[in-house]
Short mmCIF file of all heavy atoms in Angstrom, two decimals:
data_model
loop_
_atom_site.label_atom_id
_atom_site.label_comp_id
_atom_site.label_asym_id
_atom_site.label_seq_id
_atom_site.Cartn_x
_atom_site.Cartn_y
_atom_site.Cartn_z
N ASP A 1250 -17.03 -2.29 16.71
CA ASP A 1250 -18.26 -1.77 17.31
C ASP A 1250 -19.51 -2.14 16.51
O ASP A 1250 -20.60 -1.69 16.81
CB ASP A 1250 -18.17 -0.26 17.47
CG ASP A 1250 -18.14 0.48 16.14
OD1 ASP A 1250 -18.09 -0.20 15.07
OD2 ASP A 1250 -18.16 1.72 16.14
N GLY A 1251 -19.35 -2.96 15.47
CA GLY A 1251 -20.48 -3.39 14.65
C GLY A 1251 -20.74 -2.52 13.43
O GLY A 1251 -21.60 -2.85 12.61
N SER A 1252 -20.03 -1.40 13.32
CA SER A 1252 -20.22 -0.55 12.14
C SER A 1252 -19.76 -1.28 10.88
O SER A 1252 -18.91 -2.17 10.94
CB SER A 1252 -19.47 0.78 12.31
OG SER A 1252 -18.08 0.53 12.46
N ARG A 1253 -20.34 -0.93 9.76
CA ARG A 1253 -20.03 -1.60 8.50
C ARG A 1253 -19.50 -0.61 7.48
O ARG A 1253 -19.91 0.54 7.45
CB ARG A 1253 -21.26 -2.29 7.94
CG ARG A 1253 -21.77 -3.38 8.88
CD ARG A 1253 -22.78 -4.28 8.20
NE ARG A 1253 -23.18 -5.35 9.08
CZ ARG A 1253 -22.52 -6.47 9.30
NH1 ARG A 1253 -21.40 -6.69 8.67
NH2 ARG A 1253 -22.97 -7.39 10.13
N VAL A 1254 -18.59 -1.10 6.64
CA VAL A 1254 -18.01 -0.29 5.56
C VAL A 1254 -18.00 -1.13 4.30
O VAL A 1254 -17.60 -2.28 4.31
CB VAL A 1254 -16.56 0.14 5.92
CG1 VAL A 1254 -15.95 0.90 4.76
CG2 VAL A 1254 -16.53 0.96 7.19
N GLU A 1255 -18.50 -0.55 3.22
CA GLU A 1255 -18.37 -1.13 1.88
C GLU A 1255 -17.24 -0.37 1.21
O GLU A 1255 -17.38 0.81 0.91
CB GLU A 1255 -19.68 -1.01 1.10
CG GLU A 1255 -20.83 -1.79 1.72
CD GLU A 1255 -20.54 -3.28 1.84
OE1 GLU A 1255 -19.91 -3.86 0.91
OE2 GLU A 1255 -20.94 -3.89 2.86
N ALA A 1256 -16.12 -1.03 1.01
CA ALA A 1256 -14.92 -0.34 0.58
C ALA A 1256 -14.43 -0.83 -0.78
O ALA A 1256 -14.79 -1.90 -1.25
CB ALA A 1256 -13.81 -0.56 1.63
N ILE A 1257 -13.57 -0.01 -1.37
CA ILE A 1257 -12.85 -0.38 -2.58
C ILE A 1257 -11.40 -0.61 -2.17
O ILE A 1257 -10.78 0.26 -1.56
CB ILE A 1257 -12.91 0.75 -3.63
CG1 ILE A 1257 -14.34 1.15 -3.95
CG2 ILE A 1257 -12.13 0.35 -4.89
CD1 ILE A 1257 -15.19 0.04 -4.53
N ALA A 1258 -10.88 -1.78 -2.49
CA ALA A 1258 -9.48 -2.09 -2.24
C ALA A 1258 -8.73 -2.16 -3.56
O ALA A 1258 -9.27 -2.65 -4.55
CB ALA A 1258 -9.34 -3.40 -1.48
N VAL A 1259 -7.52 -1.66 -3.57
CA VAL A 1259 -6.68 -1.69 -4.75
C VAL A 1259 -5.38 -2.41 -4.39
O VAL A 1259 -4.77 -2.15 -3.36
CB VAL A 1259 -6.34 -0.25 -5.23
CG1 VAL A 1259 -5.39 -0.28 -6.40
CG2 VAL A 1259 -7.61 0.48 -5.60
N CYS A 1260 -4.99 -3.37 -5.24
CA CYS A 1260 -3.74 -4.10 -5.05
C CYS A 1260 -2.82 -3.77 -6.21
O CYS A 1260 -3.13 -4.03 -7.37
CB CYS A 1260 -4.01 -5.60 -5.00
SG CYS A 1260 -4.96 -6.10 -3.56
N HIS A 1261 -1.67 -3.20 -5.89
CA HIS A 1261 -0.65 -2.84 -6.88
C HIS A 1261 0.23 -4.07 -7.09
O HIS A 1261 0.80 -4.61 -6.14
CB HIS A 1261 0.16 -1.65 -6.39
CG HIS A 1261 -0.68 -0.44 -6.17
ND1 HIS A 1261 -0.93 0.49 -7.16
CD2 HIS A 1261 -1.35 -0.01 -5.06
CE1 HIS A 1261 -1.71 1.44 -6.67
NE2 HIS A 1261 -1.98 1.16 -5.40
N LEU A 1262 0.33 -4.51 -8.34
CA LEU A 1262 1.01 -5.76 -8.66
C LEU A 1262 2.51 -5.62 -8.93
O LEU A 1262 3.23 -6.61 -8.91
CB LEU A 1262 0.34 -6.42 -9.86
CG LEU A 1262 -1.17 -6.65 -9.70
CD1 LEU A 1262 -1.74 -7.25 -10.97
CD2 LEU A 1262 -1.47 -7.52 -8.51
N ASP A 1263 2.97 -4.39 -9.20
CA ASP A 1263 4.39 -4.19 -9.49
C ASP A 1263 4.84 -2.88 -8.87
O ASP A 1263 4.46 -1.80 -9.33
CB ASP A 1263 4.60 -4.17 -11.00
CG ASP A 1263 6.06 -4.00 -11.38
OD1 ASP A 1263 6.94 -3.96 -10.49
OD2 ASP A 1263 6.34 -3.92 -12.58
N THR A 1264 5.65 -2.96 -7.84
CA THR A 1264 6.13 -1.77 -7.14
C THR A 1264 7.61 -1.50 -7.40
O THR A 1264 8.22 -0.67 -6.73
CB THR A 1264 5.91 -1.90 -5.62
OG1 THR A 1264 6.66 -3.04 -5.14
CG2 THR A 1264 4.44 -2.07 -5.28
N THR A 1265 8.19 -2.19 -8.38
CA THR A 1265 9.63 -2.06 -8.60
C THR A 1265 10.06 -0.64 -8.95
O THR A 1265 11.19 -0.25 -8.64
CB THR A 1265 10.12 -3.02 -9.72
OG1 THR A 1265 9.34 -2.78 -10.90
CG2 THR A 1265 9.97 -4.46 -9.31
N SER A 1266 9.20 0.15 -9.59
CA SER A 1266 9.57 1.52 -9.96
C SER A 1266 9.16 2.56 -8.90
O SER A 1266 9.38 3.75 -9.11
CB SER A 1266 8.95 1.89 -11.30
OG SER A 1266 7.54 1.90 -11.19
N TRP A 1267 8.59 2.13 -7.79
CA TRP A 1267 8.15 3.07 -6.76
C TRP A 1267 9.33 3.69 -6.04
O TRP A 1267 10.37 3.05 -5.85
CB TRP A 1267 7.27 2.37 -5.73
CG TRP A 1267 5.89 2.04 -6.21
CD1 TRP A 1267 5.44 1.95 -7.49
CD2 TRP A 1267 4.77 1.75 -5.39
NE1 TRP A 1267 4.12 1.60 -7.52
CE2 TRP A 1267 3.67 1.47 -6.23
CE3 TRP A 1267 4.58 1.67 -4.03
CZ2 TRP A 1267 2.41 1.14 -5.76
CZ3 TRP A 1267 3.32 1.34 -3.54
CH2 TRP A 1267 2.26 1.09 -4.41
N ASN A 1268 9.15 4.91 -5.57
CA ASN A 1268 10.12 5.58 -4.73
C ASN A 1268 10.21 4.82 -3.40
O ASN A 1268 9.18 4.52 -2.79
CB ASN A 1268 9.67 7.03 -4.48
CG ASN A 1268 10.63 7.82 -3.65
OD1 ASN A 1268 11.29 7.31 -2.75
ND2 ASN A 1268 10.68 9.10 -3.94
N PRO A 1269 11.43 4.50 -2.93
CA PRO A 1269 11.56 3.78 -1.67
C PRO A 1269 10.94 4.52 -0.47
O PRO A 1269 10.62 3.91 0.54
CB PRO A 1269 13.07 3.65 -1.48
CG PRO A 1269 13.64 3.80 -2.83
CD PRO A 1269 12.70 4.71 -3.58
N GLN A 1270 10.71 5.82 -0.63
CA GLN A 1270 10.10 6.62 0.44
C GLN A 1270 8.57 6.67 0.36
O GLN A 1270 7.94 7.36 1.16
CB GLN A 1270 10.66 8.04 0.42
CG GLN A 1270 12.18 8.11 0.59
CD GLN A 1270 12.63 7.44 1.86
OE1 GLN A 1270 12.08 7.66 2.94
NE2 GLN A 1270 13.65 6.60 1.76
N HIS A 1271 7.99 5.95 -0.59
CA HIS A 1271 6.52 5.92 -0.72
C HIS A 1271 5.93 5.49 0.61
O HIS A 1271 6.41 4.54 1.25
CB HIS A 1271 6.10 4.95 -1.83
CG HIS A 1271 4.67 5.05 -2.20
ND1 HIS A 1271 3.65 4.59 -1.39
CD2 HIS A 1271 4.06 5.56 -3.30
CE1 HIS A 1271 2.49 4.82 -1.96
NE2 HIS A 1271 2.72 5.39 -3.13
N VAL A 1272 4.86 6.18 1.03
CA VAL A 1272 4.29 5.94 2.36
C VAL A 1272 3.87 4.49 2.58
O VAL A 1272 4.05 3.92 3.65
CB VAL A 1272 3.13 6.93 2.65
CG1 VAL A 1272 1.94 6.66 1.75
CG2 VAL A 1272 2.72 6.84 4.13
N MET A 1273 3.32 3.84 1.53
CA MET A 1273 2.90 2.43 1.72
C MET A 1273 4.09 1.52 1.96
O MET A 1273 4.01 0.61 2.77
CB MET A 1273 2.06 1.95 0.53
CG MET A 1273 0.65 2.50 0.58
SD MET A 1273 -0.51 1.57 -0.43
CE MET A 1273 0.09 1.86 -2.07
N LEU A 1274 5.19 1.76 1.25
CA LEU A 1274 6.38 0.93 1.47
C LEU A 1274 6.97 1.19 2.85
O LEU A 1274 7.46 0.26 3.51
CB LEU A 1274 7.41 1.20 0.37
CG LEU A 1274 6.96 0.89 -1.05
CD1 LEU A 1274 8.06 1.27 -2.03
CD2 LEU A 1274 6.58 -0.56 -1.21
N GLN A 1275 6.90 2.43 3.30
CA GLN A 1275 7.42 2.77 4.63
C GLN A 1275 6.60 2.11 5.73
O GLN A 1275 7.14 1.54 6.67
CB GLN A 1275 7.45 4.29 4.83
CG GLN A 1275 8.42 5.01 3.91
CD GLN A 1275 9.84 4.65 4.20
OE1 GLN A 1275 10.30 4.74 5.33
NE2 GLN A 1275 10.56 4.20 3.17
N VAL A 1276 5.28 2.15 5.60
CA VAL A 1276 4.39 1.54 6.60
C VAL A 1276 4.63 0.03 6.67
O VAL A 1276 4.69 -0.56 7.75
CB VAL A 1276 2.91 1.84 6.28
CG1 VAL A 1276 1.97 0.97 7.10
CG2 VAL A 1276 2.61 3.31 6.51
N LEU A 1277 4.79 -0.59 5.51
CA LEU A 1277 5.02 -2.04 5.45
C LEU A 1277 6.47 -2.43 5.74
O LEU A 1277 6.77 -3.60 5.92
CB LEU A 1277 4.62 -2.58 4.08
CG LEU A 1277 3.13 -2.47 3.73
CD1 LEU A 1277 2.91 -2.82 2.28
CD2 LEU A 1277 2.30 -3.35 4.65
N GLN A 1278 7.34 -1.42 5.79
CA GLN A 1278 8.78 -1.63 6.02
C GLN A 1278 9.36 -2.59 4.99
O GLN A 1278 10.04 -3.57 5.34
CB GLN A 1278 9.03 -2.12 7.46
CG GLN A 1278 8.57 -1.12 8.49
CD GLN A 1278 8.77 -1.59 9.91
OE1 GLN A 1278 9.25 -2.69 10.17
NE2 GLN A 1278 8.41 -0.75 10.85
N VAL A 1279 9.09 -2.30 3.71
CA VAL A 1279 9.62 -3.12 2.61
C VAL A 1279 10.23 -2.21 1.56
O VAL A 1279 10.03 -1.00 1.56
CB VAL A 1279 8.51 -3.99 1.97
CG1 VAL A 1279 7.95 -4.99 2.98
CG2 VAL A 1279 7.40 -3.14 1.38
N LYS A 1280 10.98 -2.80 0.65
CA LYS A 1280 11.60 -2.08 -0.46
C LYS A 1280 10.79 -2.30 -1.71
O LYS A 1280 10.08 -3.30 -1.85
CB LYS A 1280 13.03 -2.59 -0.64
CG LYS A 1280 13.92 -2.28 0.53
CD LYS A 1280 15.31 -2.80 0.32
CE LYS A 1280 16.13 -2.47 1.57
NZ LYS A 1280 17.48 -2.99 1.48
N PRO A 1281 10.92 -1.37 -2.69
CA PRO A 1281 10.18 -1.54 -3.94
C PRO A 1281 10.47 -2.89 -4.59
O PRO A 1281 11.62 -3.32 -4.66
CB PRO A 1281 10.73 -0.40 -4.82
CG PRO A 1281 11.21 0.63 -3.85
CD PRO A 1281 11.73 -0.16 -2.68
#
């Protein structure tokens, strides 16, 4: 709709120790 957002993005470089049920892993349908 033309609206603008100045956002902060964070990229996690190592997810090997994450809980497999972490919401981001579930949304992406991937494993730690």
Side-chain angles (χ1 to χ4, degrees):
D1250 67 355
S1252 60
R1253 297 194 177 278
V1254 177
E1255 296 301 322
I1257 305 299
V1259 176
C1260 294
H1261 300 270
L1262 305 178
D1263 182 3
T1264 61
T1265 55
S1266 65
W1267 286 20
N1268 182 326
Q1270 301 304 312
H1271 191 288
V1272 67
M1273 283 200 294
L1274 299 177
Q1275 295 294 307
V1276 167
L1277 295 171
Q1278 299 178 359
V1279 298
K1280 294 179 181 177

